[in-house]
Amino acid sequence: ILAKTCLSDTVGAQGSRKIPRMAQIVPSEHLFGFSLVTALFALWGFANDVTNPMVSAFHTILSLDNTESALVQTAFYSGYCFMAIPAALVIKRFTYKIGVLLGLTLYSLGCLLFIPAASQVPSGPERTGGVFAVFLLAYFVMTCGLSFLETTANPYILSMGSEETATPRLNTAQAFNPLGSLCGMFVARTFVLGELNKDTESDREGLFQTDPAKYRSITEEDLGIIRTPYAVLGVVVAVVTIGFLCARLPKTENQDKRIDLSGTLGRIAKKPAYVKGVFAQMFNVSAQICCWTFIIQYGESELSLSKSTAQTFNIVAMVVFLSNRFVCTYLLRFVSAGMLLGVAGLAGALFCLGAIMLPGYLGLSSLIAVSACLSPMFPTIYGIALEGLGDDAKLASAGLIMAIGGGALFPPIQGAVIDAISIRVSFLVPLACFVAVAVFGFDTLLMRGADAKKSLGAEQPAEKQETA
């Protein structure tokens, strides 16, 4: 994966301009730093996917309604929105390494906050709000750290080599994100959901009426089960922080440390590829969250599967996502980023249509296949949007990270469609998101083709003049 790659880009009908066929994805002098930073992608992937099932866990343990338990996701994505711009300002003023260290510190601190959060046991089902609020604070602090890491690591990876190989390089690093996600899913299913007390919310409320002491004992034990993976993760991240503190990372930053926020915003606002990329990223993340959140409800409703069995299919979808990330990184040697993104968007829309129209396991298989289309989208959109921005990419990356938070708008819409109509029809929501991503991909392809023709047109008169 970290070896040399062949890249070619033919433009124009009468001539061609080619990227060097043996351009390296990662120069040898940056290989160690690239490997370290790539490990961060797995770390935040773990946090994302160990957290998703906790919505259901808190719903049962603290006797919350669905709206209250969904505040886990609100706290989670709020951290991305809140910290993205401050993170971008920090790496602009200082270095990428400082950004990584601050992100890891906040990440570790948020995880360790689960220890005091779990030590508070509510006295009854009607008095869980204060306990839940501490957990929400822990999630918020943790994802402030994740926002710092993503805002820093993505442009850092892009800067470790030539701009020609920036998108394949980011795709390579992003390929390790689903490895962490897969581990998070497994830990949540095996060591949290599989270990919680089997009593339902109504059982717990009845137990509180008959035996309050036993109710408190069960609740304390279950909160401890939730605490454990986060506490362990906090220690692991603290160790990683020390490792980064001692490591010598590549210095790829521009020497100009001045912060010109208004000037930078003005410049990037004039870049159509960037502005469109922010919206495309929002639609991409929205499609991802919708499909991975509601695959469990799809299995329950359409195939009468249990939650745990349906979650197994979600893990299968993640394996598909992971495998295809490496395939798409390879394909970028031969096809343009815009073409890959456009085709993936159209395919994702078709698979969503399959989930709507096909019966039984065919529909579920179609929904799993959606993950293959999602796999190249985040890094490819990121690379396209930041291309040519130079040092402005540090601040511009914040908009793409904030788009992750914006993606939380669409799952509630899909949930409303489920309540009003059906689970099948609800997948029109991610289908529309995939269409938007496909439009961005093909638009990028057309824009680059037009720019290439203009460039060739400008070169030809100059050659004629030299000949004359």
Side-chain angles (χ1 to χ4, degrees), residues 66 81 111 132 178 199 231 246 277 288 335 389 406 426:
N66 289 312
C81 291
C111 290
F132 191 45
D199 287 350
C246 299
Q288 178 175 303
V335 300
L389 295 185
S426 75

Side-chain angles (χ1 to χ4, degrees), residues 285-304:
V285 175
S286 297
Q288 178 175 303
I289 296 170
C290 286
C291 291
W292 289 352
T293 296
F294 294 110
I295 188 173
I296 294 177
Q297 286 87 335
Y298 189 96
E300 288 179 307
S301 174
E302 298 300 318
L303 297 166
S304 300

Side-chain angles (χ1 to χ4, degrees), residues 183-459:
C183 290
M185 285 180 164
F186 177 79
V187 167
R189 187 189 68 173
T190 306
F191 299 106
V192 178
L193 298 181
E195 296 295 324
L196 293 176
N197 188 283
K198 304 305 180 184
D199 287 350
T200 65
E201 303 90 80
S202 58
D203 292 336
R204 290 168 188 256
E205 290 172 2
L207 182 62
F208 173 71
Q209 299 297 328
T210 59
D211 192 345
K214 188 174 181 180
Y215 165 83
R216 285 177 55 84
S217 176
I218 290 175
T219 303
E220 182 178 13
E221 183 179 346
D222 283 349
L223 292 177
I225 291 171
I226 286 182
R227 173 197 61 211
T228 300
Y230 288 102
V232 172
L233 181 59
V235 173
V236 170
V237 174
V239 172
V240 173
T241 305
I242 295 172
F244 269 90
L245 183 63
C246 299
R248 297 183 64 181
L249 297 178
K251 294 182 178 180
T252 61
E253 298 89 355
N254 190 298
Q255 295 303 310
D256 184 6
K257 301 296 183 182
R258 293 173 298 176
I259 297 176
D260 180 17
L261 183 59
S262 60
T264 301
L265 292 176
R267 287 190 295 272
I268 62 177
K270 295 177 181 178
K271 300 286 187 178
Y274 173 75
V275 176
K276 295 175 184 177
V278 170
F279 285 99
Q281 198 68 286
M282 183 188 72
F283 286 117
N284 161 48
V285 175
S286 297
Q288 178 175 303
I289 296 170
C290 286
C291 291
W292 289 352
T293 296
F294 294 110
I295 188 173
I296 294 177
Q297 286 87 335
Y298 189 96
E300 288 179 307
S301 174
E302 298 300 318
L303 297 166
S304 300
L305 301 178
S306 66
K307 288 183 184 292
S308 59
T309 303
Q311 173 66 5
T312 300
F313 284 102
N314 209 6
I315 293 176
V316 172
M318 179 56 69
V319 172
V320 171
F321 181 88
L322 169 61
S323 303
N324 202 52
R325 176 65 64 80
F326 290 103
V327 172
C328 290
T329 299
Y330 176 77
L331 288 177
L332 281 171
R333 300 180 180 187
F334 312 106
V335 300
S336 70
M339 175 62 77
L340 179 65
L341 194 60
V343 171
L346 284 182
L350 288 174
F351 284 129
C352 282
L353 187 61
I356 296 169
M357 303 296 295
L358 296 176
Y361 280 97
L362 286 176
L364 181 59
S365 298
S366 187
L367 186 54
I368 291 172
V370 165
S371 292
C373 307
L374 287 166
S375 62
M377 289 186 177
F378 188 94
T380 303
I381 293 171
Y382 206 101
I384 292 171
L386 296 187
E387 184 176 351
L389 295 185
D391 204 44
D392 285 343
K394 293 180 180 179
L395 287 174
S397 66
L400 292 163
I401 299 304
M402 290 181 72
I404 297 175
L409 297 172
F410 285 84
I413 297 174
Q414 184 170 3
V417 176
I418 293 172
D419 293 336
I421 308 176
S422 71
I423 182 66
R424 284 183 176 274
V425 174
S426 75
F427 281 92
L428 287 172
V429 175
L431 186 154
C433 293
F434 278 120
V435 170
V437 173
V439 169
F440 173 73
F442 289 125
D443 179 68
T444 298
L445 184 66
L446 292 174
M447 288 179 63
R448 287 185 173 181
D451 290 342
K453 289 180 180 180
K454 287 180 183 178
S455 179
L456 286 175
E459 289 176 1

